[in-house]
Amino acid sequence: MGHTLLCMLGLFSLNILLHCGHAQDAVLTIEPNWSTFFTGESVTFICDIREGKDTDWSYAIWKDGQEFLRYNSDKRRTLQPLYTGHSGEYQCRGSLKSQPDSRKESTKVSLTVSEKPQPVLTVSPLWLSPGDSVTLNCNVKDPSAGWRFYWYKAVPKPAGYYHYSYDLLPGSTSGTEQDSYIVHGQTHTAGYVCRAGRGDPVFHSDYSKPTFVWSGDVHSAASLTVSPDRAQHFINQLVSLSCEGNSTKWRVMWFYESGSLIDCTIWGTMTGSTCTINRYWISGVYWCESETGQFSNAVNITIQYDGIILVSPVHPVAEGHPVTFGCKLKTEKVLHDVDFYRNDKLIKNHTNGELIISAVSTSDEGFYRCKGKESPPGSRNWTSKESWMSVKYVPASGPEKTSPFPVLLIVGLVCGVSLIIVLLLFLYHYRKSKDSCFKRSQSTNQGPATDHMINQDETQSRVYASLLHGDLCLYETIRGAAEPENGKNNEPEESVYENVTTRSAADQ
């Protein structure tokens, strides 16, 4: 009995070894070696049989136990494009060309094909202060699948076309390994898009839906104004949204928290650059877009069906400026006995109907709401919804105060340079005059002997006096004219000379 048991165990072990050897005779691999594929991609099956030469065999691919790709001599078989029906278990089988009944089978490989993914783009912050850095995150199904990420800016298209075209952002032409991207110094409302890619040639996912970062600041290129000018409105009341800027064609866009993105023509009437709404009001963010690619400031509008609304500014309030909050009914009647809250904290109660902040600061930012003391008959909502008030920093107006040091430095340099130039000119003219006097002195020494009768000390004294009183040039002219020229009578010149020398002597 024991021998019989040992024989059975030996036969069982031999059967396992034979089976394992049979399974290892053929191996099926796939390229790329991914566990999950997406519709539109391709996969290559590679069947390796470790007996004989590759040319000795014919190869077939089986799927879920049925022949899928018929026998041929190519051990590499490519399936493209993939779709979800290609999911299943695959196996390769080989048949010797010389002995068709001699076959080998590989182990099985599971393949999953999913729908082409659409990434989800998130931005932070959603509402920015001008100059903020904006972080984009692109989330895609199966993040470990070797994706690279591509980043785009959404550019508005003219009315009648799909909403946007996409321009690659700097540094993402070949994709980035990181699933995040930072936009530095963003100042205005903007839309962004991402998508993922992998493989060679690159297979791209779908584009994400456009995601926006909003700025409430009005700028010169484009602006959105709301009439009546407040952040909260009652449904079925006439409200106008007007676009202004250096473009001729505008559209007003609306974004709802569910992710819907539609333009004014769907839920209002667009006349020129103004969107008028008197029905189908829904809370959300509104902004203007031009066909030249401009975005306006964005406004967050809240719609109330009945009860009361908070009267609050729709645009950011400049730091240091006053702001007034109110509370009113659908009949436009202003309530007087109300409480005001900021960030759910009571800040003023039993008011005369207004909350006035004479000079706002950044500490006043927050969510505001009002609450009536007594509910009128038939009213269900006696507390308004919340609206955010943002405060923007505005540099002090007027000319900038500058340090006096640079001004004094500049004035000093100018005066110093001017003084040097004057001194150089003076020295130049003095040198020239001195040379002229020296030459004329030589000429005088060669004249008649009567000229030597002039006292030397008196002459030097007169020259010195002339230098002090600015008469040097006149003196030189007279001295030169006193010389006889071609035998002409020099008496008039001598008379002048005598008068000049006498005046100079008197000045001394």
Side-chain angles (χ1 to χ4, degrees):
M1 183 69 180
H3 291 288
T4 303
L5 181 60
L6 289 173
C7 289
M8 291 178 63
L9 288 173
L11 290 173
F12 179 72
S13 299
L14 180 62
N15 185 49
I16 293 176
L17 290 173
L18 289 173
H19 178 75
C20 293
H22 175 73
Q24 292 178 347
D25 287 340
V27 177
L28 175 65
T29 56
I30 60 174
E31 289 183 354
N33 188 22
W34 294 330
S35 60
T36 301
F37 290 80
F38 298 99
T39 56
E41 289 188 299
S42 63
V43 62
T44 298
F45 299 101
I46 305 170
C47 190
D48 286 314
I49 298 178
R50 300 174 181 178
E51 180 181 329
K53 300 178 180 179
D54 291 344
T55 55
D56 295 338
W57 296 87
S58 292
Y59 307 89
I61 302 297
W62 288 58
K63 175 181 178 290
D64 297 332
Q66 295 183 347
E67 188 177 28
F68 182 65
L69 299 176
R70 294 182 178 183
Y71 283 94
N72 68 21
S73 58
D74 192 353
K75 62 180 290 185
R76 299 175 63 94
R77 310 290 286 277
T78 299
L79 188 60
Q80 183 182 19
L82 292 172
Y83 58 90
T84 55
H86 286 138
S87 297
E89 288 190 334
Y90 289 83
Q91 183 184 44
C92 77
R93 296 185 182 186
S95 175
L96 275 173
K97 295 178 180 177
S98 59
Q99 301 178 17
D101 292 335
S102 177
R103 296 184 177 181
K104 303 291 184 181
E105 295 181 358
S106 74
T107 54
K108 295 178 180 179
V109 175
S110 294
L111 192 69
T112 301
V113 181
S114 300
E115 292 289 348
K116 190 176 183 178
Q118 183 180 41
V120 176
L121 178 66
T122 57
V123 301
S124 179
L126 281 174
W127 288 88
L128 59 82
S129 297
D132 280 353
S133 292
V134 179
T135 300
L136 314 179
N137 287 100
C138 195
N139 300 310
V140 65
K141 186 178 180 181
D142 194 9
S144 62
W147 295 109
R148 294 184 69 84
F149 299 90
Y150 300 81
W151 310 92
Y152 305 84
K153 192 169 187 177
V155 180
K157 283 187 174 181
Y161 294 87
Y162 182 70
H163 289 316
Y164 305 99
S165 59
Y166 305 138
D167 290 349
L168 272 169
L169 290 172
S172 63
T173 303
S174 301
T176 63
E177 293 183 0
Q178 296 77 23
D179 61 356
S180 62
Y181 184 96
I182 298 178
V183 180
H184 295 284
Q186 181 64 40
T187 56
H188 305 312
T189 298
Y192 296 98
V193 172
C194 75
R195 68 172 173 170
R198 65 177 184 173
D200 185 16
V202 179
F203 164 80
H204 288 104
S205 70
D206 286 333
Y207 290 97
S208 69
K209 292 181 179 180
T211 304
F212 293 86
V213 54
W214 295 296
S215 171
D217 278 344
V218 177
H219 54 95
S220 58
S223 63
L224 170 64
T225 57
V226 182
S227 180
D229 186 15
R230 59 177 185 252
Q232 295 188 14
H233 301 267
F234 287 107
I235 195 167
N236 294 329
Q237 287 187 331
L238 184 66
V239 179
S240 296
L241 308 173
S242 298
C243 305
E244 297 179 358
N246 52 4
S247 181
T248 57
K249 291 186 178 180
W250 295 92
R251 67 178 174 219
V252 176
M253 299 299 296
W254 163 72
F255 180 84
Y256 184 51
E257 61 183 10
S258 66
S260 300
L261 182 65
I262 54 179
D263 61 54
C264 173
T265 57
I266 304 300
W267 39 262
T269 302
M270 194 75 189
T271 305
S273 59
T274 299
C275 176
T276 303
I277 307 169
N278 54 14
R279 57 191 179 93
Y280 304 131
W281 258 111
I282 301 177
S283 300
V285 181
Y286 297 80
W287 68 92
C288 298
E289 297 175 356
S290 75
E291 61 179 4
T292 55
Q294 298 167 346
F295 290 88
S296 76
N297 57 301
V299 296
N300 194 1
I301 293 179
T302 303
I303 304 304
Q304 182 79 305
Y305 288 88
D306 59 9
I308 60 177
I309 62 171
L310 174 72
V311 179
S312 63
V314 70
H315 301 298
V317 181
E319 190 175 26
H321 286 212
V323 65
T324 300
F325 294 90
C327 201
K328 66 170 53 182
L329 294 167
K330 195 171 184 179
T331 59
E332 296 297 321
K333 178 183 178 181
V334 177
L335 297 178
H336 295 284
D337 192 12
V338 292
D339 296 338
F340 287 95
Y341 295 80
R342 182 179 67 238
N343 299 330
D344 287 330
K345 292 183 179 180
L346 180 66
I347 57 175
K348 191 172 184 181
N349 61 349
H350 299 285
T351 69
N352 60 355
E354 290 183 338
L355 169 64
I356 300 175
I357 304 175
S358 57
V360 298
S361 64
T362 53
S363 62
D364 294 314
E365 281 192 335
F367 288 97
Y368 287 78
R369 63 182 174 90
C370 64
K371 182 179 181 181
K373 290 296 184 181
E374 296 181 0
S375 174
S379 176
R380 294 175 298 172
N381 300 316
W382 201 229
T383 301
S384 75
K385 294 183 178 180
E386 291 182 328
S387 283
W388 173 267
M389 185 194 73
S390 61
V391 178
K392 65 177 180 179
Y393 170 74
V394 177
S397 59
E400 294 185 1
K401 294 183 179 180
T402 58
S403 171
F405 176 74
V407 176
L408 294 176
L409 179 62
I410 294 172
V411 172
L413 288 173
V414 171
C415 292
V417 171
S418 301
L419 182 59
I420 292 172
I421 293 173
V422 170
L423 288 174
L424 290 174
L425 288 174
F426 176 78
L427 290 174
Y428 171 77
H429 285 293
Y430 174 73
R431 177 82 176 264
K432 187 175 180 182
S433 300
K434 186 177 180 182
D435 292 342
S436 176
C437 292
F438 176 73
K439 290 179 182 178
R440 290 172 182 172
S441 174
Q442 288 181 333
S443 175
T444 304
N445 290 336
Q446 295 174 3
T450 55
D451 290 340
H452 292 283
M453 296 175 63
I454 302 175
N455 187 283
Q456 264 189 342
D457 293 336
E458 183 182 358
T459 302
Q460 291 177 356
S461 176
R462 290 172 180 172
V463 170
Y464 180 70
S466 299
L467 287 172
L468 288 178
H469 294 86
D471 293 335
L472 178 61
C473 294
L474 178 61
Y475 171 76
E476 291 175 350
T477 302
I478 296 171
R479 289 286 296 167
E483 298 175 5
E485 183 179 355
N486 298 328
K488 292 182 180 180
N489 189 358
N490 295 328
E491 290 182 0
E493 285 82 355
E494 291 175 356
S495 300
V496 174
Y497 172 75
E498 291 174 357
N499 293 334
V500 171
T501 53
T502 302
R503 187 174 62 252
S504 298
D507 293 339
Q508 289 181 337

